[in-house]
Amino acid sequence: MTSTTVHTRPTRGRVRGVLAYANLRRRHLGSVAFVTNRITGLLLVGYLYLHLGILYLLTEGPRSWTTVLHLFKNPAFLGLESLLILFILIHGLNGLRLALVGTGVGVRHQKAWFATAMSVSGCLYVVVVLAMYGVI
Amino acid sequence: MAPESGTAVSRTWRLRVSRWRPGDAHPHFDDFEVGVGADATLLDALRRVRSHHDRSLTLRYSCCHASCGTCGMRANGREVLACVTRLADLGPGPILVEPLGNARVEHDLVVDMRDLYVSLEPAGRPLVRQDSVLAGQDETAASPGFFRYEDCIECGLCLSACPVAATDPLYLGPAALAAAWRVTQEPRGGDPEPVLAWVDDEQGCWRCHASFECSEACPSGVDPAGATMALRRELTRRELGRLTRLGRRAR
Ligand code: SF4
Ligand code: SF4
Ligand code: FES
């Protein structure tokens, strides 16, 4: 079936379009969830490149291997790694929520799904950080 | 001057109203201080502006009781029907009043609604709640084209709130998808297949990013986001069924 839409809606420039798309001013939890997923997704992609860059250092031979290992044990780097885990948890669990809700499962509870995903992510993150810094 | 509406107690409200008329390079805001009843609605205040401050302010309204869907606008950044939105619920002010988003502004607070109206056409009409038609009476024949989709008052608040419509003018939008689901849910002897084929498209129900802003904005309880997810469920169910049948045949 063809639409007879007249398309009078304004077309925004790319930057204004992205700003409108990610605008959370006066928006609700569903928007927070969907913007969170995009942001964590982008951060994960960024981290993937950082990771590839670091792995590339390993191709430089045994000396760089030692440097990389030192870097991995650096507390600041561990902090970054823990953030990576946090982003994975948030993106993964919220993604699961989106996959379920997006195919019509538990749609009415989408806010509760999001709250649960964030709470579980938070709890798991604390456990991971404690394990990383040798507390547990 | 006596307050235009509401209780006898008059209060002064400050409105910051978006103004734009054809030929203007950009919209600007005009501030108005209006005295209306403490119980007055945003529409009361805007009508007061028109009658006592600036007759050139353009706005659209008709029924004044949340039925016609013509008075949609944004107040403090949120989509509202001005006729049923109390000023007291919008805070002390100044209250920021803007036209609906994701639509071309015609004049001040009036936007071009054609896209919304036309987008509802392929879902088919008339659609009247079964229990609202008296036995033996063809209400739809008496008022051709009047009824379209029971609860939806075609106000466009959902489209204004939708972040995908904000970036993609080709997206079918929440109201059209909700209408499509209604037809699928209750075809009443019609054929929902063409409607499903229409929304099974990258600019259809799969384009939605599940932000649920449309359902939050809808003043009429239509739940367009829920309808969009239901369309996806239905299309997924059909596709899985088709793949299962293909698999069985291949065995
Ligand atoms: S749920 Fe979908 S249709 Fe509704 S506002 Fe969000 S993106 Fe738009
Ligand atoms: S679905 Fe709701 S918000 Fe959208 S046009 Fe219909 S009544 Fe208005
Ligand atoms: S004037 Fe009719 S819905 Fe507000």
Side-chain angles (χ1 to χ4, degrees):
Chain A
M1 187 181 281
T2 49
S3 163
T4 43
T5 302
V6 287
H7 302 313
T8 59
R9 267 184 257 158
T11 317
R12 293 180 165 89
R14 204 158 278 176
V15 175
R16 285 189 62 209
V18 171
L19 289 178
Y21 177 79
N23 178 17
L24 284 181
R25 183 176 145 248
R26 309 282 293 161
R27 293 299 169 210
H28 300 83
L29 198 60
S31 278
V32 174
F34 117 94
V35 171
T36 303
N37 231 42
R38 264 94 199 139
I39 291 175
T40 49
L42 286 173
L43 288 170
L44 286 175
V45 171
Y47 200 92
L48 177 73
Y49 282 106
L50 182 69
H51 189 69
L52 289 176
I54 290 171
L55 285 185
Y56 173 76
L57 289 179
L58 294 178
T59 61
E60 304 283 302
R63 272 189 54 151
S64 63
W65 177 260
T66 320
T67 319
V68 169
L69 277 188
H70 273 300
L71 183 67
F72 281 172
K73 286 185 183 154
N74 184 310
F77 193 82
L78 276 182
L80 260 185
E81 290 280 294
S82 81
L83 279 183
L84 169 69
I85 310 255
L86 180 65
F87 297 154
I88 290 176
L89 284 168
I90 292 177
H91 194 77
L93 290 175
N94 194 23
L96 194 63
R97 163 191 166 271
L98 271 177
L100 288 171
V101 167
T103 42
V105 182
V107 178
R108 281 183 195 284
H109 307 295
Q110 58 94 10
K111 287 183 183 171
W113 284 115
F114 182 62
T116 310
M118 292 307 101
S119 310
V120 173
S121 303
C123 293
L124 289 176
Y125 177 64
V126 170
V127 174
V128 167
V129 169
L130 292 178
M132 270 179 139
Y133 289 93
V135 182
I136 53 171
Chain B
M1 244 172 264
E4 185 130 308
S5 96
T7 62
V9 188
S10 183
R11 227 191 104 169
T12 301
W13 304 86
R14 202 133 65 84
L15 303 183
R16 180 160 294 163
V17 185
S18 174
R19 308 297 302 270
W20 182 89
R21 64 195 59 204
D24 288 358
H26 300 288
H28 68 275
F29 288 94
D30 280 346
D31 285 354
F32 299 100
E33 294 208 344
V34 283
V36 282
D39 216 19
T41 64
L42 177 57
L43 182 59
D44 293 330
L46 290 168
R47 287 170 65 187
R48 181 92 183 162
V49 169
R50 256 187 71 80
S51 53
H52 292 88
H53 300 262
D54 184 347
R55 296 208 66 81
S56 72
L57 176 68
T58 314
L59 63 148
R60 185 160 49 200
Y61 63 92
S62 177
C63 71
C64 298
H65 58 253
S67 286
C68 69
T70 56
C71 67
M73 57 187 72
R74 284 176 299 166
N76 290 339
R78 283 224 173 126
E79 286 70 19
V80 297
L81 290 179
C83 66
V84 287
T85 302
R86 290 173 66 240
L87 292 165
D89 294 334
L90 294 172
I95 297 165
L96 189 67
V97 188
E98 296 166 284
L100 288 178
N102 306 331
R104 195 174 56 79
V105 178
E106 299 259 28
H107 216 292
D108 295 341
L109 299 173
V110 174
V111 298
D112 187 339
M113 299 288 281
R114 277 178 299 166
D115 239 12
L116 175 85
Y117 299 152
V118 175
S119 77
L120 289 165
E121 295 294 327
R125 59 178 182 162
L127 260 184
V128 187
R129 199 188 287 281
Q130 200 75 71
D131 58 18
S132 75
V133 180
L134 299 175
Q137 183 183 330
D138 188 356
E139 198 175 325
T140 59
S143 321
F146 183 70
F147 297 101
R148 192 177 276 160
Y149 164 47
E150 42 201 35
D151 291 339
C152 177
I153 57 170
E154 302 177 16
C155 60
L157 265 55
C158 54
L159 198 62
S160 169
C162 176
V164 174
T167 46
D168 189 347
L170 300 182
Y171 175 44
L172 277 185
L177 292 170
W181 173 241
R182 194 68 194 96
V183 174
T184 311
Q185 209 181 16
E186 202 178 320
R188 300 173 195 178
D191 180 11
E193 293 307 320
V195 175
L196 277 173
W198 169 54
V199 298
D200 187 9
D201 185 87
E202 59 177 310
Q203 297 297 351
C205 65
W206 303 108
R207 188 79 177 83
C208 163
H209 285 186
S211 71
F212 289 85
E213 287 300 339
C214 50
S215 294
E216 299 275 3
C218 179
S220 206
V222 172
D223 188 15
T228 307
M229 302 309 145
L231 281 170
R232 288 176 174 188
R233 184 184 58 218
E234 180 61 20
L235 289 166
T236 308
R237 195 183 63 76
R238 284 167 181 241
E239 187 61 15
L240 288 178
R242 193 182 68 82
L243 291 175
T244 313
R245 280 194 299 281
L246 273 180
R248 273 206 211 108
R249 244 180 266 152
R251 258 191 262 131

